[in-house]
Amino acid sequence: MMLPSEIPVTFFVDARAQLRNEQCLSPRALADRIREMVAAEKARLPWLKLARFGDRRSDKNSLRHDGNVDKISGVELDYDGGEIGFDAAVRTLKSVNLAAIVYTSPSHTPDAPRWRILAPTSHDMPPEARYQLVARINGLFGGIFADESFTLSQSYYYGQ
């Protein structure tokens, strides 16, 4: 199980996504960034997406929309079901040797587990490849992931 040496990630300051910051980070640096991010409330946390975006803006001046995704560098899957624990998710991924970063979402509690998987690809891929990649991982977990996991431009809060 090997993660790529660098993962292209787009960061958005807020949900409006009028500004973006694209960086290539090592898996360790990305995991550290997720772990170290803290805000007083969820709405103040930044967002991330394993994709490269263009400069096409939506009617609301947002850069984060399906028509502006140029390439994907991985997929994100969001679990809010509250029944399957974080450790079980890690074990499932290890059982099939799937390289990924798994982190708890801001609303996670031990009694109601909520977590995300970031599964980078070995190279940039066309946006059309995303749905099938998400479907494969979703199938591995028995179809537990939130519907928004399949949305091309869906980005996610990170931190605590």
Side-chain angles (χ1 to χ4, degrees), residues 59-71:
D59 293 341
K60 296 181 179 180
N61 201 33
S62 177
L63 292 166
R64 186 178 51 87
H65 60 91
D66 288 358
N68 196 33
V69 177
D70 288 340
K71 298 283 184 183

Side-chain angles (χ1 to χ4, degrees), residues 6-152:
E6 287 197 330
I7 305 167
V9 183
T10 298
F11 297 97
F12 297 103
V13 175
D14 57 28
R16 294 179 312 188
Q18 293 176 343
L19 299 172
R20 73 166 188 270
N21 178 8
E22 186 179 297
Q23 297 180 25
C24 288
L25 299 172
S26 72
R28 172 66 58 204
L30 178 55
D32 288 347
R33 186 172 192 160
I34 291 166
R35 184 176 39 258
E36 294 168 2
M37 180 56 61
V38 177
E41 56 191 49
K42 179 180 175 180
R44 293 187 181 195
L45 289 168
W47 298 56
L48 64 76
K49 180 69 180 172
L50 301 182
R52 296 177 190 265
F53 289 80
D55 293 323
R56 297 169 299 279
R57 293 185 177 273
S58 71
D59 293 341
K60 296 181 179 180
N61 201 33
S62 177
L63 292 166
R64 186 178 51 87
H65 60 91
D66 288 358
N68 196 33
V69 177
D70 288 340
K71 298 283 184 183
I72 64 164
S73 55
V75 296
E76 315 81 12
L77 292 97
D78 187 34
Y79 175 72
D80 290 329
E83 295 179 13
I84 299 171
F86 178 87
D87 292 339
V90 172
R91 282 193 303 275
T92 298
L93 293 168
K94 283 184 177 181
S95 76
V96 295
N97 205 30
L98 181 62
I101 296 170
V102 186
Y103 68 97
T104 56
S105 65
S107 54
H108 168 83
T109 67
D111 294 332
R114 297 170 186 266
W115 39 267
R116 297 197 178 109
I117 294 174
L118 303 180
T121 54
S122 59
H123 59 278
D124 283 354
M125 298 183 74
E128 306 80 52
R130 187 173 191 288
Y131 187 92
Q132 185 176 18
L133 294 172
V134 172
R136 286 181 177 177
I137 297 171
N138 194 37
L140 173 66
F141 281 85
I144 65 169
F145 292 103
D147 289 344
E148 59 267 19
S149 298
F150 288 90
T151 302
L152 177 59

